[in-house]
Amino acid sequence: MTASQPGPLANDVSGTEVSDNAGKSVRSVTGITVRLAGDSGDGMQLLGTQLTNTSALAGNDVATFPDFPAEIRAPRGTRAGVSGFQLQFASEEIFTPGDTLDALVVMNPAALVTNLGDLRKGGILIANEDGFNAKEFKLAKVESDPLESDIINQSYRLVKVPMTKLTRAAVEEHGLSAKNADRCKNFFAMGLVYWLFGRSLEPTLRFIQEKFYKKPDVVAANEAALRAGWAYGETTEAFGESYSVDAAELQPGTYRNIMGNQALAWGLITASKISGKELFYGTYPITPASDILHELTKHKNFGVRTFQAEDEIAAICATIGAAFGGEMAVTASSGPGIALKGEAMGLGVMMEMPMIVINVQRGGPSTGLPTKTEQSDLLQAMFGRNGEAPMPVLAPCSPADCFDMAIEAWRIAAETMTPVMLLSDGYIANGSEPWKIPEMNSLPKITIQHPPATSGEEPFLPYERDENLSRPWAVPGTDGLMHRIGGLEKEDRTGNVSYDPDNHQHMVQTRAEKVARIADRIPEQDVLGETSGDVLVVSWGGTYGACHTAVSRARMDGHDVSHAHLRYLNPMPRNIGTLLKSFRKVIVPELNAGQLRMLLRSEFLVDCIGINKIKGKPFTVNELVDAIQSHAAPARKSKAG
Amino acid sequence: MSLPVLKATDFASDQDVRWCPGCGDYSILAQMKKVLPNVGVPREKIVFISGIGCSSRFPYYMNTYGMHSIHGRAPGFATGLKSTRPDLMVWVITGDGDSLSIGGNHFIHAIRRNLDINIVLFNNRIYGLTKGQYSPTSAEGQITKSTPMGSIDHPLSPLSIALAAEATFVARSMDAHVKHLGDMLMAASQHKGTSLVEVYQNCNVFNDGAMAYAQEKKQRPNNIIELEHGKPMIFGENRDKGIRLTGNHLEVVDTADVPADDLLIHDAHNPDPSIQMMLARMRYPVMPEPFGILRQVDGVATYNDQINDQVTTAKREKGEGDLNTLFHSGDTWNVA
């Protein structure tokens, strides 16, 4: 199921009662969407990550959406300090972390009031009763105890649990301070949630052992809290039933759960290996890109060199320096940092040097919404450099896709001798999903050749071009190929500085043509549904899951709707113009004010309708379904999804 | 391995040199070409990286590998290149505007990391390429195109900045004193770690004679002091003046009045940079300005060695990275 369909927990219609467990029934459902919300110090992200891994290990398809404040520790107990983690796990293939919640766990009043709006009517609301007191009401700016309100009690299945008290009792024998004992309450909550959804405690017990192995008392206390939470669900009368979600029918293979930034890092390492290069990664810390650095630094035994520069500019300049030296060079940042890198990117374009520039987008402009997602750097990626400086732009569509697109970006950069922009976003970066581990021999090889040493009798021509219009990647240390490159316009073939007007026009057009020709070496655009008809939804980047699910649902409802999701934005696939002209209407949902729409309109003279959300939040499936239906012709017969 | 015997002309590229007639840059270029055949590194292993400015056209004129980059950022490019290719000899060519204004940040960080590169800073105390605005080293009160009422910025001293960033090699020379300049470039090339050579360089178009006190043969002996490690600090036309450390400051004394043992002995190898910093702060006209090697400290780890050592260590301790092992690390599950 997808969460917004009539749900098993609300109406008990799609679930099947399958067994009886200690007097309680276990209901089998196809999917659950749950959100865990608490203070930013409550360990909600840890809880969410553990539940995700455990669900993935149980064979479910999973999709996650962590959502946290920009402040490290916003004032405790306030609405600004609420940290949330949403997760959908299902026995079917899913593409989003879900719209409305089947269950919500809140640790305090602030978490309740900021999240309750997303809980479906009849959904389960688990509240840490101990977090609901006069002091907390004041911090959360609520008048009275919301748990006592009629609306909540009538609309949801409220379960109040004194988690703090129960946790303290459970860990008492391990001699922790009161403060440390209270820190275990997320594990209590975890245990309770695990019982409710039939998750195994084993992976998390293993995690606790590994994470806290230096502190045996903490291990013992967290284990005790986790088991106590489970036991509470099992023994109390609070819950009439628990739920089970079967394994999803995924393609055969070995899987693991992977987050977007982790997949990017692994993709980069893989690309360096399959191209016989060592990886240089120059960067400056910025949310939400920093985790790529954190991941890469763990893998220096793969020949990875990471450079934490003094600023964004030094980071990309060092990256270009490493590229000049002949290595695989990568820099990453988020919007504001990419703005700083603009000048150096232009130099990379002029020098025709292969490298990858990753932008993990966040809300903008300026510092914007650092921990929230947005897709508003597309035009910056396309045009954010002085002069005519075209760069290929690619965008992964999901956490696992980051792995493939990192490799693809490097293939294009090395083949074309150009910097390549890879546009991820905060939603993909922090989200996770099952990743089918590739077979080693299925990984595409990337062949890179540097021109060999010569006697130097013939002058070396650093700007002579091959069939891709790429120039040779001659590296320092090679005898006979000494040459100088730089940001002044280059004379065709010789690379000498040139102010010749005709040469400048020729070189500008050649660099543009070089990028345009990449279209011949990327796949044609694929389409969900027909390649002509009533409505085409065109999307890019991290909105893939929501758009795919929404189009599938609209098709099930009988609408003539197709979906094209772009992973190559510059150049676009060669059939995209034909595709756009083959539909009555083109709808472009984006988490910005209409940037792809602007590109499509200007390039193909096709009118496009924008669905634009700029709230720092991903699309819900429901809002997209509504928008699609409002533009589509009336539904006819039902179609296969 | 025996290297082919190269001459200065072998290091000249086929490009026309386009500096103003009479520019001090010609002298620096000539000395570099003269020194390089003797540093023991083949041409193809040498890379010149520059930023933007008159001086930064330098790489185009050398028949080595070269990169003319963006304003102030040459140390950044050098960091990436030297970190991945420690086998290369990397020279950063920069000016006072390039390295101290827009590139001040990168200048400091390359030095504090002790990246094994050689920075040659052409200091003419003016913006030449943009035609005559004051620079970070221009004198206070200087009238320029952008300061018709006189510059109100206090000038920076590249040597002081470098020493404050714990530089391991700091020297000063000048365009007009060609033998001295050649010696400094040679010494810098032999140093392991960041070497900074500040070169006083005359801009005869926009700032002619700004450093004549140091550059003109007649004035030079009284206004500068040539430092030599282990030697007492003596200067003057008739070698009749010296530098003495009195309390916590340096003073000029007549050698006739002061016993030779009282003069300060220059210690370039002292790991404590305090006195070297005092030397860097000696300014004309109050004091003679120091030329030569102010500081030369060996044995400090370089950034490029360390970044590569960590890779070597990781490979030794964890084994050469294996993708299949990486992908299957942690929790996995099978779908049949």
Side-chain angles (χ1 to χ4, degrees):
Chain A
M1 71 161 237
T2 46
S4 50
Q5 286 173 306
L9 300 184
N11 308 315
D12 294 346
V13 287
S14 58
T16 316
E17 201 170 299
V18 290
S19 67
D20 185 273
N21 184 359
K24 292 175 193 165
S25 60
V26 178
R27 187 166 295 276
S28 175
V29 293
T30 53
I32 299 280
T33 295
V34 58
R35 188 184 297 164
L36 315 151
D39 193 72
S40 57
D42 279 343
M44 292 299 104
Q45 302 301 322
L46 177 71
L47 201 171
T49 309
Q50 283 301 305
L51 182 57
T52 305
N53 284 338
T54 305
S55 300
L57 286 174
N60 293 152
D61 197 4
V62 297
T64 68
F65 177 47
D67 188 23
F68 37 81
E71 297 79 13
I72 302 299
R73 286 277 186 277
R76 208 193 60 77
T78 63
R79 296 183 184 200
V82 174
S83 174
F85 190 105
Q86 183 171 324
L87 158 70
Q88 181 177 195
F89 50 94
S91 59
E92 296 172 351
E93 201 177 3
I94 51 166
F95 300 90
T96 77
D99 279 10
T100 51
L101 310 170
D102 298 312
L104 171 66
V105 179
V106 295
M107 304 303 276
N108 63 15
L112 175 74
V113 294
T114 51
N115 287 284
L116 190 66
D118 294 330
L119 182 61
R120 71 158 80 249
K121 294 285 179 284
I124 298 178
L125 173 63
I126 301 174
N128 172 22
E129 199 176 356
D130 297 331
F132 286 74
N133 54 46
K135 188 178 156 203
E136 297 288 337
F137 298 151
K138 201 174 161 197
L139 286 169
K141 293 190 164 51
V142 294
E143 301 279 313
S144 58
D145 189 349
L147 299 181
E148 299 299 325
S149 79
D150 288 345
I151 295 176
I152 283 188
N153 281 281
Q154 285 160 14
S155 305
Y156 309 103
R157 289 163 53 191
L158 173 64
V159 180
K160 294 194 277 188
V161 185
M163 291 188 197
T164 311
K165 263 189 224 96
L166 292 169
T167 304
R168 280 181 194 170
V171 306
E172 196 175 9
E173 60 179 295
H174 301 294
L176 268 58
S177 66
K179 192 181 160 197
N180 281 341
D182 285 357
R183 288 179 68 178
C184 299
K185 72 172 180 294
N186 60 330
F187 283 97
F188 180 93
M190 218 182 286
L192 180 55
V193 169
Y194 280 22
W195 174 82
L196 187 63
F197 300 124
R199 309 278 77 153
S200 163
L201 296 182
E202 289 307 318
T204 298
L205 290 170
R206 265 204 315 276
F207 164 83
I208 292 171
Q209 291 277 358
E210 284 165 20
K211 169 106 180 163
F212 303 105
Y213 74 99
K214 283 180 182 162
K215 298 173 183 168
D217 53 336
V218 175
V219 169
N222 283 334
E223 284 181 358
L226 183 71
R227 291 185 194 282
W230 174 281
Y232 182 86
E234 183 82 358
T235 53
T236 65
E237 297 300 316
F239 299 92
E241 59 187 1
S242 65
Y243 303 88
S244 77
V245 178
D246 288 343
E249 284 184 20
L250 301 174
Q251 282 183 353
T254 304
Y255 284 79
R256 62 174 301 131
N257 198 37
I258 202 159
M259 291 174 69
N261 275 345
Q262 181 190 14
L264 266 184
W266 288 17
L268 295 175
I269 293 171
T270 303
S272 84
K273 279 278 167 193
I274 61 179
S275 61
K277 291 283 159 196
E278 297 217 316
L279 178 62
F280 179 86
Y281 184 77
T283 192
Y284 184 77
I286 186 169
T287 303
S290 300
D291 280 337
I292 306 171
L293 170 65
H294 305 159
E295 182 63 29
L296 285 174
T297 55
K298 292 182 200 163
H299 304 296
K300 292 185 178 181
N301 60 326
F302 283 85
V304 176
R305 284 157 186 78
T306 57
F307 170 54
Q308 182 177 317
E310 56 270 24
D311 64 24
E312 298 286 4
I313 299 173
I316 186 169
C317 291
T319 299
I320 297 174
F324 185 56
E327 295 305 340
M328 176 179 166
V330 182
T331 189
S333 189
S334 188
I338 296 293
L340 284 169
K341 294 182 199 288
E343 184 191 6
M345 262 187 269
L347 179 71
V349 169
M350 174 68 94
M351 285 181 167
E352 303 193 40
M353 201 61 90
M355 72 196 76
I356 300 175
V357 181
I358 298 170
N359 180 355
V360 187
Q361 300 165 93
R362 65 191 208 186
S366 189
T367 306
L369 308 175
T371 60
K372 310 296 177 190
T373 200
E374 206 164 282
Q375 293 185 304
S376 49
D377 296 346
L378 175 57
L379 295 181
Q380 182 195 30
M382 291 289 293
F383 306 115
R385 295 164 292 283
N386 66 299
E388 296 286 350
M391 263 171 66
V393 180
L394 312 183
C397 69
S398 73
D401 192 42
C402 286
F403 179 84
D404 294 331
M405 290 311 264
I407 296 172
E408 185 66 349
W410 178 235
R411 179 182 73 84
I412 289 173
E415 246 178 39
T416 315
M417 290 292 284
T418 178
V420 171
M421 173 77 77
L422 194 55
L423 278 180
S424 179
D425 62 47
Y427 174 79
I428 293 177
N430 293 318
S432 61
E433 66 179 347
W435 173 57
K436 189 180 165 201
I437 298 172
E439 298 292 333
M440 288 307 119
N441 53 20
S442 75
L443 295 171
K445 286 278 172 290
I446 297 173
T447 309
I448 295 173
Q449 280 170 336
H450 301 294
T454 72
S455 64
E457 279 160 21
E458 293 292 312
F460 172 59
L461 296 171
Y463 279 75
E464 200 162 47
R465 296 180 187 280
D466 68 9
E467 69 280 6
N468 293 335
L469 295 181
S470 302
R471 70 180 197 85
W473 190 4
V475 297
T478 317
D479 199 6
L481 306 184
M482 276 82 78
H483 66 287
R484 277 69 54 194
I485 55 176
L488 288 169
E489 182 60 282
K490 298 287 163 283
E491 185 180 67
D492 193 22
R493 302 182 74 233
T494 67
N496 291 330
V497 173
S498 169
Y499 290 90
D500 178 73
D502 292 335
N503 178 73
H504 179 52
Q505 177 142 356
H506 169 73
M507 292 299 271
V508 166
Q509 287 170 341
T510 303
R511 287 188 289 262
E513 174 66 15
K514 182 174 82 155
V515 172
R517 282 193 194 179
I518 295 167
D520 298 334
R521 311 196 297 277
I522 60 172
E524 289 206 343
Q525 180 61 47
D526 58 358
V527 180
L528 166 70
E530 297 71 27
T531 52
S532 66
D534 184 35
V535 170
L536 177 69
V537 174
V538 183
S539 59
W540 68 279
T543 59
Y544 168 71
C547 292
H548 178 91
T549 309
V551 170
S552 301
R553 195 172 309 160
R555 289 173 60 79
M556 299 264 271
D557 292 345
H559 290 288
D560 178 7
V561 182
S562 300
H563 180 210
H565 186 83
L566 292 169
R567 291 155 83 231
Y568 299 87
L569 292 153
N570 191 39
M572 287 185 194
R574 49 197 179 277
N575 59 329
I576 195 79
T578 312
L579 207 53
L580 291 173
K581 293 183 170 90
S582 305
F583 288 84
R584 184 178 65 87
K585 276 188 184 177
V586 176
I587 299 179
V588 185
E590 291 179 272
L591 300 176
N592 61 41
Q595 301 192 9
L596 176 64
R597 180 171 47 127
M598 179 187 287
L599 293 178
L600 294 176
R601 280 174 161 177
S602 67
E603 182 70 24
F604 301 105
L605 299 179
V606 168
D607 193 22
C608 302
I609 300 158
I611 302 173
N612 303 97
K613 178 171 177 177
I614 313 147
K615 299 183 173 185
K617 289 178 161 192
F619 282 118
T620 64
V621 173
N622 282 343
E623 63 196 357
L624 289 177
V625 169
D626 289 348
I628 291 168
Q629 285 178 344
S630 73
H631 290 291
R636 291 171 302 185
K637 60 187 192 305
S638 183
K639 293 186 179 206
Chain B
M1 183 179 77
S2 70
L3 294 168
V5 180
L6 294 174
K7 304 178 296 297
T9 48
D10 292 318
F11 282 91
S13 76
D14 60 354
Q15 299 296 294
D16 294 334
V17 182
R18 290 188 188 161
W19 284 314
C20 304
C23 177
D25 289 358
Y26 285 98
S27 158
I28 307 173
L29 180 63
Q31 289 314 305
M32 186 64 83
K33 287 185 201 162
K34 232 181 209 175
V35 164
L36 286 185
N38 303 313
V39 302
V41 177
R43 271 185 310 182
E44 67 272 15
K45 291 265 190 183
I46 299 174
V47 183
F48 281 90
I49 304 180
S50 64
I52 297 292
C54 296
S55 63
S56 289
R57 301 294 176 94
F58 196 98
Y60 291 124
Y61 308 140
M62 297 296 300
N63 189 10
T64 61
Y65 284 89
M67 197 192 270
H68 176 221
S69 74
I70 53 177
H71 205 12
R73 322 298 180 187
F77 294 89
T79 305
L81 181 62
K82 187 72 186 179
S83 295
T84 48
R85 295 291 308 277
D87 58 312
L88 302 174
M89 169 179 254
V90 178
W91 292 82
V92 165
I93 303 293
T94 181
D96 43 312
D98 193 54
S99 62
L100 302 178
S101 241
I102 187 167
N105 187 19
H106 311 303
F107 180 75
I108 291 169
H109 286 277
I111 291 172
R112 66 113 170 163
R113 291 188 182 110
N114 201 32
L115 188 73
D116 187 14
I117 58 171
N118 311 304
I119 303 174
V120 185
L121 194 168
F122 297 18
N123 185 0
N124 57 15
R125 300 186 182 167
I126 197 78
Y127 281 1
L129 193 74
T130 49
K131 299 186 179 174
Q133 301 84 5
Y134 75 110
S135 91
T137 54
S138 292
E140 227 169 312
Q142 186 166 341
I143 307 287
T144 72
K145 262 186 197 158
S146 59
T147 55
M149 294 174 72
S151 164
I152 54 174
D153 291 14
H154 306 298
L156 280 175
S157 157
L159 300 185
S160 298
I161 294 171
L163 288 168
E166 311 288 335
T168 54
F169 183 103
V170 176
R172 179 189 277 154
S173 191
M174 67 184 94
D175 52 5
H177 198 348
V178 292
K179 178 162 186 326
H180 186 266
L181 174 57
D183 290 346
M184 290 304 106
L185 294 178
M186 178 53 99
S189 76
Q190 303 304 309
H191 177 69
K192 194 164 160 48
T194 306
S195 64
L196 169 70
V197 182
E198 179 191 20
V199 184
Y200 278 9
Q201 174 261 329
N202 191 41
C203 175
N204 59 335
V205 175
F206 294 108
N207 208 18
D208 195 25
M211 287 163 284
Y213 65 89
Q215 288 163 317
E216 277 186 10
K217 265 194 176 153
K218 275 193 179 169
Q219 298 188 58
R220 190 190 295 165
N222 290 322
N223 296 336
I224 75 157
I225 179 166
E226 284 194 30
L227 305 174
E228 276 187 88
H229 175 73
K231 300 276 177 65
M233 292 192 193
I234 297 173
F235 70 105
E237 258 177 308
N238 307 309
R239 310 275 298 162
D240 55 355
K241 289 180 199 155
I243 303 290
R244 180 169 69 180
L245 177 64
T246 304
N248 58 3
H249 72 278
L250 299 177
E251 61 176 357
V252 175
V253 295
D254 283 332
T255 50
D257 305 338
V258 172
D261 287 357
D262 278 14
L263 294 179
L264 183 62
I265 307 291
H266 178 48
D267 184 1
H269 303 327
N270 191 346
D272 178 342
S274 306
I275 292 176
Q276 296 151 5
M277 181 64 97
M278 293 166 92
L279 297 175
R281 299 189 72 250
M282 296 202 303
R283 306 273 155 75
Y284 172 83
V286 179
M287 299 286 280
E289 293 190 349
F291 280 71
I293 301 169
L294 279 79
R295 177 175 173 81
Q296 182 176 23
V297 175
D298 294 327
V300 179
T302 65
Y303 186 82
N304 38 288
D305 277 352
Q306 289 189 298
I307 192 172
N308 286 294
D309 286 351
Q310 287 198 345
V311 170
T312 309
T313 303
K315 284 179 178 174
R316 191 179 60 235
E317 288 178 355
K318 293 157 80 176
E320 187 87 31
D322 177 68
L323 290 174
N324 207 38
T325 309
L326 173 67
F327 297 163
H328 288 86
S329 61
D331 292 330
T332 62
W333 70 97
N334 290 305
V335 174

